[in-house]
């Protein structure tokens, strides 16, 4: 049969299509449905891709990530490294009570020269806090942490090589300079802890300080107390800081909060992934492909920023608390020695030990008094997340002032047991207040100014520590000393009551206080 009746005997394409459609309408309808279905599938794929792009651009905050990661082996590593730094700080400061007396006898130093050994360390610490603290906000937490530890280790060891008084002072100044940077490890630990676990875990670092305090009389007894040289005593006391540097260089990364404040969010994300892996978390679940951290970039800070309207009131109160706690803590150590100087006269000479220079130390009494700080730290662990940072500081400092006053007021009493009880309680409350203060300042300052603000407050504390011997060891009667110290502690509690509460809030945030004095 002919296909059509066209002139040339063949149909055109349009004619053929029309003819096909008219002859097979059901086949055409099915074809149209197939085309429409393909379009719908393509649109669905495009919607899925759009959703995928949205997920790839999902933004999460560092606080949320750290809360999800939780507390585990990763934070434990940083706690050990930071804790060893705290032990080093404690040992390098407290060894001066032994070293100054030994060198006064061996080198025939005058009282002013003996006092300058201690003064040099505090002077170095004052300068170190003013330089290393802001440096931590500029170049990062980790480099300053390691730099401070290297300085302490090096000059702590070279102290043993000192052959002249001037060389000794130079070495101890640089040891103090390094000690001034030890606020940074504390800040690193705080910036890796979730809000829900920050209080107790930051307080645990104070056990390392107490361990250092207890180690000094033990090391002194083993070395100088057994007839060995003071050089060996000084070298052994430098070991914890050297261990901190080695351990920290392996296990302590840069703070992700600091990296984000500098706009380096990719590096921060990689560190958080590493932390999650060490803590046993599935990083594919926590960090889906393409997830980015919230940009929290901040401007660099300096000491002048502390007196801007945003920070001025807080800075004044923090400085008041740090000055007061330093005067109280170091004043307590000196006052207890002065009080028991009278009641120890009748003690059997076998309770003290002499070194090769003929200098006597009551090692057991010094060790027992250091143990009281353990109880103070335990009090903080039990109550810091229950009553809050501010109430704990207020109650601790007021209790310290009362114990200080009673101890000095009854210093001439022959009731040695009563005096020892108040001396023990005094160091307990001093330690609990100090722990809460260090925790509070780390939490209340935001990332861009945390290291600078913490170091500035610590510098003020060093000045307070420098002044405490002139107040407590001077010619002022103990009763007047007790009255003055009670007033200082009340003022410290007053300043602490005006620091914003940070319990259960993210780093750098604050809420209204409920306790004021």
């Amino acid at each position: 049969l002919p296909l059509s009746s066209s002139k040339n005997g063949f149909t055109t394409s349009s004619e053929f299509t029309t003819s096909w459609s008219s002859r097979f309408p059901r086949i055409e309808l099915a074809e149209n449905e197939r085309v429409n279905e393909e379009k719908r599938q393509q649109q669905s794929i495009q919607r899925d891709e759009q959703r995928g792009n949205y997920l790839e651009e999902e933004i999460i905050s560092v606080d949320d990530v750290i809360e999800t990661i939780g507390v585990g082996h990763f934070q434990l590593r940083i706690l050990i490294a930071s804790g060893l730094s705290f032990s080093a700080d404690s040992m390098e400061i407290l060894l001066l009570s032994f070293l100054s007396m030994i060198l006064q006898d061996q080198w025939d130093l005058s009282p002013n020269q003996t006092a300058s050994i201690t003064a040099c360390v505090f002077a170095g610490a004052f300068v170190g806090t003013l330089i290393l603290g802001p440096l931590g906000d500029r170049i990062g937490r980790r480099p300053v942490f390691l730099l401070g530890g290297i300085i302490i280790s090096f000059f702590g060891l070279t102290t043993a090589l000192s052959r002249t008084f001037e060389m000794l002072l130079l070495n101890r100044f640089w040891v103090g300079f390094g000690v001034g940077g030890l606020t940074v490890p504390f800040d690193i630990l705080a910036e890796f802890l979730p809000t829900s676990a920050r209080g107790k875990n930051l307080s645990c670092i104070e056990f390392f300080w107490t361990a250092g305090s207890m180690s000094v009389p033990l090391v002194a007894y083993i070395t100088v107390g057994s007839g060995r040289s003071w050089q060996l005593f000084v070298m052994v006391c430098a070991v914890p800081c050297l261990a901190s540097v080695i351990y920290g260089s392996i296990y302590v990364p840069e703070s992700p909060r600091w990296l984000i404040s500098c706009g380096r969010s990719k590096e921060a994300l990689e560190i958080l992934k590493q932390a999650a892996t060490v803590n046993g978390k599935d990083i594919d679940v926590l960090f889906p492909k393409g997830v980015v951290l919230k940009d929290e970039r901040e401007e660099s800070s300096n000491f002048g920023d502390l007196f801007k309207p945003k920070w001025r009131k807080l800075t004044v109160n923090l400085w008041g608390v740090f000055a007061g706690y330093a005067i109280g803590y170091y004043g307590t150590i000196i006052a207890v020695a002065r009080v028991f100087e009278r009641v120890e006269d009748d003690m059997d000479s076998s309770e003290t030990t002499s070194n090769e220079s003929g200098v006597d130390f009551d090692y057991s009494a010094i060790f027992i008094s250091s143990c009281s700080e353990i109880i103070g730290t335990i009090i903080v662990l039990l109550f810091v997340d229950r009553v809050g940072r501010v109430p704990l500081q207020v109650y601790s400092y007021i209790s310290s002032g009362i114990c200080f006053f009673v101890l000095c007021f009854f210093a001439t009493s022959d009731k040695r047991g009563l005096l020892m009880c108040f001396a023990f309680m005094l160091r307990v409350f001093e330690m609990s207040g100090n722990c809460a203060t260090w925790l509070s300042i780390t939490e209340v300052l935001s990332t861009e100014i945390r290291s600078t603000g913490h170091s500035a407050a610590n510098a003020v504390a060093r000045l307070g520590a420098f002044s405490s011997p002139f107040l407590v060891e001077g010619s002022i009667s103990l009763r007047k000393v007790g009255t003055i110290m009670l007033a200082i502690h009340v003022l410290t509690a007053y300043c602490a009551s005006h620091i914003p509460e940070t319990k259960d809030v993210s780093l750098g945030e604050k809420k209204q206080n409920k306790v004021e004095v």
Side-chain angles (χ1 to χ4, degrees), residues 72-358:
H73 288 90
F74 183 83
Q75 284 83 0
L76 179 61
R77 293 174 177 178
I78 301 176
L79 174 63
I80 293 174
S82 303
L84 288 172
S85 296
F86 260 52
S87 294
D89 188 353
S90 175
M91 295 182 74
E92 292 294 342
I93 295 298
L94 297 180
L95 71 80
L96 298 172
S97 60
F98 292 93
L99 183 63
S100 58
M101 292 182 65
I102 294 172
L103 294 182
Q104 183 180 29
D105 181 78
Q106 289 189 5
W107 290 3
D108 194 24
L109 302 178
S110 67
N112 288 336
Q113 287 177 314
T114 304
S116 63
I117 297 176
T118 302
C120 242
V121 176
F122 284 119
F126 175 75
V127 176
T129 55
L130 297 178
I131 295 177
L132 296 179
L135 200 61
D137 284 332
R138 294 190 178 186
I139 68 173
R141 316 298 199 221
R142 187 175 186 271
V144 174
F145 168 38
L146 298 178
L147 176 61
I150 291 172
I151 292 174
I152 296 172
S153 302
F154 179 79
F155 289 99
L157 294 174
T158 57
T159 297
L161 304 178
S162 301
R163 293 293 179 265
T164 64
F165 178 70
E166 291 74 17
M167 184 60 67
L168 176 75
L169 293 184
L170 180 63
N171 283 314
R172 298 317 295 175
F173 174 87
W174 282 105
V175 167
F177 183 90
V179 167
L182 292 184
T183 58
V184 176
F186 192 84
D187 295 337
I188 292 178
L189 178 61
E191 293 175 347
F192 272 107
L193 289 171
T195 302
S196 57
R198 196 169 55 233
K200 290 184 178 180
N201 284 276
L202 281 179
S203 300
C204 285
I205 201 174
E206 299 295 344
F207 282 114
F208 286 88
W209 175 278
T210 302
S213 300
M214 296 169 62
S215 298
V216 171
L218 291 177
V219 174
Y221 177 78
I222 294 172
T223 54
V224 296
S226 301
R228 296 181 176 88
S229 66
W230 64 266
Q231 288 91 343
L232 179 61
F233 170 55
V234 171
M235 291 176 67
V236 173
C237 288
V239 169
C241 198
L242 183 61
S244 174
V245 172
I246 296 174
Y247 191 88
S249 64
I250 299 173
Y251 292 112
V252 177
E254 184 54 82
S255 166
R257 295 181 187 272
W258 179 83
L259 288 172
I260 290 177
S261 69
C262 298
R264 297 159 62 180
S265 58
K266 291 184 179 180
E267 296 177 52
L269 185 60
E270 290 302 316
I271 291 175
L272 291 172
K273 287 182 179 179
Q274 176 189 353
T277 302
V278 174
N279 283 357
K281 304 292 183 178
D282 188 345
I283 61 174
D284 292 329
V285 175
L286 293 181
F287 307 96
K289 183 179 180 181
V291 163
V292 296
L293 294 175
K294 181 180 179 181
D295 188 1
E296 301 175 4
R297 196 174 311 181
E298 302 283 353
E299 296 180 359
S300 60
S301 62
N302 53 57
F303 284 112
D305 294 335
L306 296 173
F307 294 97
K308 290 182 177 180
K310 179 181 178 181
W311 301 108
R312 186 185 303 131
K313 182 179 179 180
L314 178 61
T315 297
V316 172
N317 286 318
L318 287 174
W319 286 12
V321 174
F322 266 70
Y325 104 69
I327 295 174
Y329 181 80
Y330 293 104
T332 293
I333 296 174
I334 299 171
V336 169
R338 183 178 173 186
V339 167
F340 286 100
E341 184 180 13
R342 297 170 181 257
V343 299
E344 302 288 351
D345 290 340
D346 297 330
M347 290 178 56
D348 188 273
S349 59
S350 61
E351 296 186 33
T352 61
T353 306
S354 299
N355 58 54
E356 62 182 1
S357 302

